[in-house]
């Protein structure tokens, strides 16, 4: 997967200790996710599932899990 172009959020700061989630498109149209400080672990998902996750985060659906 060395030809994958990863994109980091513009909200993420550069430098050590500033881990963030990176996204990329896979050749088969899947979405790939990884954490920048552990780039060997890659999660593959669909665009619809990622949209659902983002929607849930924005609406506070997972807030109870943080606490």
């Amino acid at each position: 997967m060395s030809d994958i172009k990863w994109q980091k959020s513009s909200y993420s700061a550069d430098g050590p200790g500033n881990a963030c989630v990176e996204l990329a498109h896979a050749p088969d149209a899947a979405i790939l996710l990884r954490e920048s400080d552990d780039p060997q672990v890659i999660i593959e998902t669909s665009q619809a599932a990622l949209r659902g996750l983002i929607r849930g985060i924005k609406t506070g659906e997972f807030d109870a899990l943080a606490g």
Side-chain angles (χ1 to χ4, degrees):
M1 283 199 189
S2 61
D3 59 333
I4 300 293
K5 292 184 171 73
W6 294 96
Q7 181 177 357
K8 183 168 52 168
S9 169
S10 60
Y11 290 100
S12 298
D14 288 329
N18 293 315
C20 64
V21 173
E22 297 176 321
L23 300 170
H25 285 278
D28 63 358
I31 301 295
L32 304 175
L33 293 94
R34 71 179 184 182
E35 189 172 344
S36 62
D37 66 346
D38 194 5
Q40 299 82 7
V41 178
I42 298 172
I43 298 171
E44 184 175 325
T45 189
S46 68
Q47 291 181 5
L50 181 58
R51 275 194 300 272
L53 174 65
I54 293 169
R55 189 177 312 115
I57 291 168
K58 286 181 176 181
T59 61
E61 182 178 339
F62 308 107
D63 288 356
L65 299 174

